[in-house]
């Protein structure tokens, strides 16, 4: 293999690696966006559960037995 062919081969590999790196960067970015969305959703659900729990606790006296006992 002559030096010119080796340089072409190396340049080709580098170009493929750069493309792969760009694709991986895009994938990581999209995953981070999804993680951010899921964290926002989890926080909203946690607030809803907390609010629902507080609302139900306000309707009952603490440690009160339900009427079916």
């Amino acid at each position: 293999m002559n030096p010119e062919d080796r340089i072409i081969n190396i340049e080709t590999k580098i170009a493929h690696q750069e493309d792969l790196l760009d694709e991986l960067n895009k994938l990581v970015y999209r995953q981070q966006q999804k993680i951010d969305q899921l964290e926002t959703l989890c926080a909203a659900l946690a607030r809803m559960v907390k609010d629902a729990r507080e609302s139900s606790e306000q309707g009952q006296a603490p440690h009160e037995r339900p009427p079916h006992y």
Side-chain angles (χ1 to χ4, degrees):
M1 184 182 261
N2 67 34
E4 187 175 319
D5 288 340
R6 289 185 67 200
I7 290 174
I8 291 171
N9 189 21
I10 291 170
E11 288 175 341
T12 303
K13 286 181 180 182
I14 289 172
H16 286 289
Q17 287 178 349
E18 287 176 343
D19 288 343
L20 179 60
L21 183 60
D22 286 342
E23 287 300 314
L24 289 173
N25 282 333
K26 290 175 187 175
L27 177 64
V28 169
Y29 177 75
R30 287 191 305 268
Q31 286 179 336
Q32 186 59 52
Q33 285 181 314
K34 191 64 172 178
I35 289 169
D36 292 343
Q37 290 172 351
L38 291 170
E39 286 177 339
T40 300
L41 179 61
C42 283
L45 290 171
R47 278 193 304 275
M48 289 174 60
V49 168
K50 180 182 174 194
D51 292 345
R53 185 179 297 138
E54 289 174 354
S55 294
S56 70
E57 288 174 356
Q58 289 175 357
Q60 292 181 344
H63 306 291
E64 180 181 306
R65 286 188 177 183
H68 63 276
Y69 275 98

